[in-house]
Amino acid sequence: MGEAPSDAELARSLDGGFVSAHADVNGTRLHYVSGGHGAPLILLGGWPQTWWEFHKIMPPLAERHRVIAVDLRGMGGSGKPSHGYDKKTMAADILGLVRHLGHDRVDIAGHDIGGMVAHAFAANHPAHTRRIALLDIAHPDERFYTYSLLPRPGRQQVDGDIHAGPGRFLWWFAFNQVPGLPERLLAGRSRDLVDWMIDYLVEDPGSISDHDRDVYAHAYATPDAIRAGNAWYRAFGQDIADEKTYGRVTAPLLGLGGGEGGHMLLQAVLPDKGTDVQVALVPGSGHYIPEEQPGIVVEHLTRFFA
């Protein structure tokens, strides 16, 4: 694992005048990178990544928006408190940041865990939500309890090989629930985890460079960082309970699915989650669509958030 540059250096490397900063909100400290001009657009990433997962789409989006890419509670340069990893609390973090930056109503695009937080933001703070985009994810609900601990032959594995199955075996949903053990197993080995996750879920492994993987590996290199990232998964039970109390999202909602699996899932799930829902396929992409197909993602987001 090579030496990773600082968030400030990464921000300066992007066109659009991006800068790295911090804000104390909702009882925690959030790191964010902002740049560009126009209506505010919040970008929220997921596990095991950081705000940097949006680096390919931030400069073109900044031509029309004030782009604000955030490290969630527990991620990267943000605080890693002992609690508050349910998505409703994390959405309140984002509202605190929005207000700290002097905005009232924002657009939000979230990928992976960030998409869950984006949905919670729209559900709990509709007056502050203009439009919302969910990238290859939906908010936890009761179907999460149906995910199998054993890979299904022919779907999630072929002849015992989970890499050969057309479906995805979500073993890490269970692994990240185990208290204490992941920190001991993964500390100092985060690059192994990052490489495995990317290579398993990506269409073209070359679309996410060694440099990018080093950035993510450094962000999850310590036991504290591993514990905080796992806490997003350990809060799924609370997230599922909270989701039962939410009404349908009233803000216009766009779902972008990478590959047939993600697209089909969003097509099946999202129409019942909102009153104005669009779902689109991002061809040639796996799970990490902002990095795999940045041009297509920018095209969709630019049109949707116009």
Side-chain angles (χ1 to χ4, degrees):
M1 184 170 65
E3 188 66 30
S6 67
D7 284 316
E9 292 170 324
L10 290 171
R12 288 195 296 269
S13 74
L14 302 179
D15 293 334
F18 285 96
V19 296
S20 170
H22 293 82
D24 295 317
V25 296
N26 198 37
T28 192
R29 185 169 175 82
L30 293 187
H31 169 256
Y32 64 96
V33 171
S34 61
H37 302 280
L41 170 58
I42 308 293
L43 302 179
L44 306 176
W47 182 88
Q49 297 175 290
T50 69
W51 72 270
W52 182 249
E53 73 163 272
F54 299 112
H55 70 278
K56 293 181 182 178
I57 69 173
M58 289 167 67
L61 290 175
E63 295 175 7
R64 297 175 177 85
H65 299 273
R66 181 65 175 174
V67 175
I68 305 154
V70 185
D71 277 336
L72 300 169
R73 173 188 293 243
M75 175 185 287
S78 289
K80 299 169 178 61
S82 62
H83 60 282
Y85 294 93
D86 62 280
K87 309 313 169 289
K88 186 174 182 178
T89 296
M90 293 169 73
D93 295 346
I94 303 306
L95 178 61
L97 178 63
V98 166
R99 287 172 168 164
H100 171 84
L101 296 175
H103 303 302
D104 181 60
R105 198 159 174 253
V106 296
D107 294 320
I108 303 184
H111 173 246
D112 193 77
I113 299 294
M116 301 174 187
V117 177
H119 184 116
F121 185 98
N124 288 283
H125 311 292
H128 300 284
T129 310
R130 197 181 80 91
R131 287 176 171 248
I132 173 180
L134 305 182
L135 280 57
D136 214 56
I137 199 66
H139 192 284
D141 59 17
E142 283 284 345
R143 68 194 162 83
F144 275 43
Y145 287 129
T146 69
Y147 292 152
S148 175
L149 287 177
L150 296 178
R152 294 180 181 272
R155 172 161 177 75
Q156 294 165 321
Q157 64 166 319
V158 176
D159 295 330
D161 183 1
I162 63 171
H163 294 274
R168 293 292 178 245
F169 175 48
L170 305 177
W171 62 268
W172 58 93
F173 277 41
F175 177 74
N176 288 349
Q177 300 290 330
V178 182
L181 183 61
E183 295 93 313
R184 299 206 302 270
L185 294 179
L186 296 174
R189 304 181 182 92
S190 54
R191 179 60 194 263
D192 292 329
L193 172 70
V194 167
D195 283 341
W196 196 98
M197 292 301 304
I198 289 174
D199 293 342
Y200 184 58
L201 295 175
V202 79
E203 185 77 15
D204 173 16
S207 62
I208 302 180
S209 70
D210 278 339
H211 171 265
D212 301 333
R213 295 171 187 231
D214 276 347
V215 170
Y216 305 140
H218 274 277
Y220 294 88
T222 67
D224 204 35
I226 296 163
R227 182 266 310 163
N230 290 351
W232 303 325
Y233 289 81
R234 294 175 193 166
F236 279 174
Q238 183 62 54
D239 298 332
I240 293 168
D242 288 338
E243 196 267 347
K244 292 178 180 179
T245 70
Y246 298 161
R248 299 173 76 185
V249 170
T250 55
L253 191 160
L254 170 66
L256 296 180
E260 290 298 329
H263 179 239
M264 291 173 61
L265 173 66
L266 295 182
Q267 277 189 316
V269 171
L270 287 189
D272 290 335
K273 304 296 186 183
T275 60
D276 180 359
V277 177
Q278 309 171 41
V279 177
L281 171 69
V282 179
S285 181
H287 176 62
Y288 301 103
I289 57 179
E291 292 165 288
E292 296 185 67
Q293 295 294 341
I296 296 175
V297 173
V298 167
E299 181 180 342
H300 277 293
L301 296 186
T302 299
R303 184 186 308 117
F304 180 67
F305 291 129

